[in-house]
Amino acid sequence: MDDLNGHGTHVAGIIGGDGYLSDGAYMGVAPAINLVDVKVLNDAGMGYLSDVVAGLQWVLENKATYNIRVVNLSLNSSVAESYNQSPLDAALEILWFNGVVVVVSAGNNGNNSSSTRGVLLPPANDPFLISVGAADDRGTTTLIDDKLANFSAYGTTAGQVKPD
């Protein structure tokens, strides 16, 4: 499937790239994994909540057929709402309650000047889900000085500090 926006392909490569084009020099964290692509956004990276929820419903209905055990969702809602009221969080919790590990993007509103600065938007605000932020390695090879990138969203939900 084509990914003209590129982000899904980028994340899939980080997860399951086999290093073919680099003769094994650059491999994903799980290079032997079988990936199932469920495209829910258009080529500009835009979409409707209903399309995302429909894609998640497809995952639930086909998890046994394709042995789907982990879902990665690298997108965020633009609506600041509680995880208790978010249809996106609800759809992802259904997967979680059905034994699927759910990993979501923390978002990129960490250093913006809007009212959502530092606010976790759905689905990153759900305590049942693993939220992942971006790291700033400060240009070094050691991990000791790494920190959360200034653009990465952050916050607390249900007493849990996010991203995880």
Side-chain angles (χ1 to χ4, degrees):
M1 174 176 288
D2 289 337
D3 180 7
L4 300 178
N5 190 269
H7 188 72
T9 301
H10 171 78
V11 172
I14 291 170
I15 296 168
D18 63 6
Y20 175 78
L21 293 176
S22 66
D23 292 324
Y26 301 104
M27 298 174 74
V29 295
I33 196 166
N34 291 317
L35 294 171
V36 177
D37 179 21
V38 182
K39 187 172 172 103
V40 295
L41 302 178
N42 67 19
D43 292 337
M46 305 296 288
Y48 295 101
L49 176 60
S50 58
D51 295 329
V52 177
V53 171
L56 296 170
Q57 179 67 36
W58 184 92
V59 170
L60 181 63
E61 292 168 357
N62 291 279
K63 76 180 198 90
T65 302
Y66 294 102
N67 192 28
I68 299 172
R69 297 183 297 157
V70 179
V71 165
N72 175 72
L73 195 66
S74 296
L75 56 81
N76 293 103
S77 172
S78 59
V79 178
E81 60 188 339
S82 166
Y83 72 92
N84 291 315
Q85 297 175 336
S86 166
L88 181 56
D89 283 324
L92 288 163
E93 281 187 24
I94 289 169
L95 286 174
W96 186 86
F97 282 112
N98 279 277
V100 178
V101 174
V102 181
V103 181
V104 299
S105 164
N108 295 331
N109 62 335
N111 67 351
N112 70 24
S113 60
S114 76
S115 63
T116 60
R117 179 176 185 204
V119 173
L120 291 168
L121 300 172
N125 65 344
D126 194 308
F128 292 96
L129 313 179
I130 299 169
S131 63
V132 179
D136 177 357
D137 67 8
R138 297 182 166 202
T140 68
T141 57
T142 180
L143 299 177
I144 195 136
D145 63 344
D146 290 2
K147 66 176 192 156
L148 189 67
N150 66 356
F151 61 85
S152 190
Y154 55 89
T156 304
T157 185
Q160 295 181 7
V161 176
K162 297 275 191 162
D164 297 293

